[in-house]
Amino acid sequence: MINTIIFDFGDVFINLEKETSIEEFKKLGLDGPNEDLIAQNDLFEKGKITELQFIESFQKYIPDAGVEDIRKAWNSLIGDFPLYRLEFLQLLTTKYRLFLLTNTDSIHIDHFEHKTGMSFYSDFYRCFEKIYYSYEMGMRKPQPEIFTTILKKHDLSPKRTLFVDDKKDNTDIAEVLGLHVWNIKVGDEDVVDLFSKKELPL
């Protein structure tokens, strides 16, 4: 029986506005992401480069854009966090061990906390036994090591652990490692549908 749930963050609890972010960068003169910027994002999410180095990687392509312009466009990805999802999560806290595992960066987390306010984000963080940000761990999903690190550190049994994520690459690796998985279909499913999608005791 499952006794532990590891949740992703973006598009599971907080909505991501990917098209909005692309449009905001277009206004600054960037015609969509490219391989270099994707690689820089990978490094930033692993904590391998600084915030300034990451922003400067954009300025190679949009030299007239200021640091704050780029930060604002980058943060336009972060959408709303519906209260009902937090309330659902709070219901789970007495029944399961809960963890958060997300590929993210310091800019987005700072913005999330500023946008939602201390009361809200504190209530959210309080639901988890431990929160894992990729930029603090030095690795990101779908690296197998990111999962095995958490399993070992908290003595978790894969067969009693459910991993919830919106990206199939991530849930595929977790499944190979023996975890139960739910690959949420963004737009068609919601994390609060958990018990209609998975046979779990509440």
Side-chain angles (χ1 to χ4, degrees), residues 16-33 37 51 54-55 58-59 62 65-79 105 107-108 111 115:
L16 299 182
E17 305 291 344
K18 296 168 187 173
E19 291 303 317
T20 299
S21 184
I22 290 171
E23 286 303 314
E24 289 301 311
F25 274 111
K26 281 184 178 178
K27 292 176 185 177
L28 297 178
L30 183 67
D31 189 25
L37 291 174
E51 178 179 327
F54 179 64
I55 289 174
F58 282 95
Q59 290 179 316
I62 41 176
V67 170
E68 285 306 317
D69 295 327
I70 293 170
R71 185 183 283 113
K72 183 178 179 183
W74 185 243
N75 279 332
S76 66
L77 174 74
I78 306 300
D105 59 73
I107 298 176
H108 279 161
H111 181 67
K115 183 174 182 176

Side-chain angles (χ1 to χ4, degrees), residues 54-94:
F54 179 64
I55 289 174
E56 286 174 343
S57 68
F58 282 95
Q59 290 179 316
K60 288 191 295 184
Y61 303 97
I62 41 176
D64 293 333
V67 170
E68 285 306 317
D69 295 327
I70 293 170
R71 185 183 283 113
K72 183 178 179 183
W74 185 243
N75 279 332
S76 66
L77 174 74
I78 306 300
D80 66 314
F81 188 143
L83 178 61
Y84 72 86
R85 289 182 185 154
L86 174 60
E87 292 172 340
F88 173 75
L89 184 64
Q90 290 170 326
L91 285 176
L92 301 180
T93 58
T94 59

Side-chain angles (χ1 to χ4, degrees), residues 8 17 33 40 45 58-59 82 91 95 105 121 135 137 143 150 160 183 199:
D8 180 32
E17 305 291 344
Q40 292 299 309
E45 286 192 342
F58 282 95
Q59 290 179 316
L91 285 176
K95 303 294 182 180
D105 59 73
Y121 76 70
Y135 73 93
M137 296 184 75
Q143 289 177 260
I150 295 172
R160 301 191 70 185
N183 175 218
E199 293 183 1

Side-chain angles (χ1 to χ4, degrees), residues 6-202:
I6 302 173
F7 287 105
D8 180 32
F9 188 22
D11 273 339
V12 173
F13 291 109
I14 196 165
N15 294 320
L16 299 182
E17 305 291 344
K18 296 168 187 173
E19 291 303 317
T20 299
S21 184
I22 290 171
E23 286 303 314
E24 289 301 311
F25 274 111
K26 281 184 178 178
K27 292 176 185 177
L28 297 178
L30 183 67
D31 189 25
N34 57 47
E35 288 186 8
D36 177 36
L37 291 174
I38 291 170
Q40 292 299 309
N41 179 50
D42 185 274
L43 290 173
F44 192 38
E45 286 192 342
K46 290 178 180 175
K48 305 298 185 185
I49 59 174
T50 66
E51 178 179 327
L52 184 58
Q53 287 173 317
F54 179 64
I55 289 174
E56 286 174 343
S57 68
F58 282 95
Q59 290 179 316
K60 288 191 295 184
Y61 303 97
I62 41 176
D64 293 333
V67 170
E68 285 306 317
D69 295 327
I70 293 170
R71 185 183 283 113
K72 183 178 179 183
W74 185 243
N75 279 332
S76 66
L77 174 74
I78 306 300
D80 66 314
F81 188 143
L83 178 61
Y84 72 86
R85 289 182 185 154
L86 174 60
E87 292 172 340
F88 173 75
L89 184 64
Q90 290 170 326
L91 285 176
L92 301 180
T93 58
T94 59
K95 303 294 182 180
Y96 299 94
R97 297 179 69 182
L98 303 179
F99 298 86
L100 190 74
L101 172 61
T102 179
N103 290 346
T104 191
D105 59 73
S106 55
I107 298 176
H108 279 161
I109 293 303
D110 287 347
H111 181 67
F112 157 67
E113 293 181 354
H114 178 75
K115 183 174 182 176
T116 59
M118 183 181 291
S119 177
F120 188 95
Y121 76 70
S122 295
D123 285 347
F124 176 62
Y125 291 161
R126 206 173 288 122
C127 293
F128 300 100
E129 187 172 325
K130 178 74 175 175
I131 291 170
Y132 287 98
Y133 295 139
S134 61
Y135 73 93
E136 293 178 339
M137 296 184 75
M139 51 185 146
R140 68 195 294 276
K141 299 173 291 185
Q143 289 177 260
E145 297 82 4
I146 203 166
F147 297 102
T148 56
T149 295
I150 295 172
L151 293 173
K152 289 177 182 176
K153 185 170 182 177
H154 299 281
D155 195 25
L156 304 179
S157 167
K159 66 183 180 181
R160 301 191 70 185
T161 302
L162 172 68
F163 174 60
V164 180
D165 198 292
D166 65 302
K167 290 185 173 59
K168 193 171 186 300
D169 285 351
N170 298 339
T171 54
D172 283 351
I173 291 296
E175 195 165 29
V176 167
L177 294 172
L179 285 78
H180 298 270
V181 300
W182 178 24
N183 175 218
I184 285 187
K185 308 299 185 295
V186 179
D188 294 326
E189 299 174 324
D190 196 296
V191 69
V192 299
D193 301 328
L194 177 62
F195 295 99
S196 63
K197 299 293 181 179
K198 298 289 176 181
E199 293 183 1
L200 299 178
L202 178 61

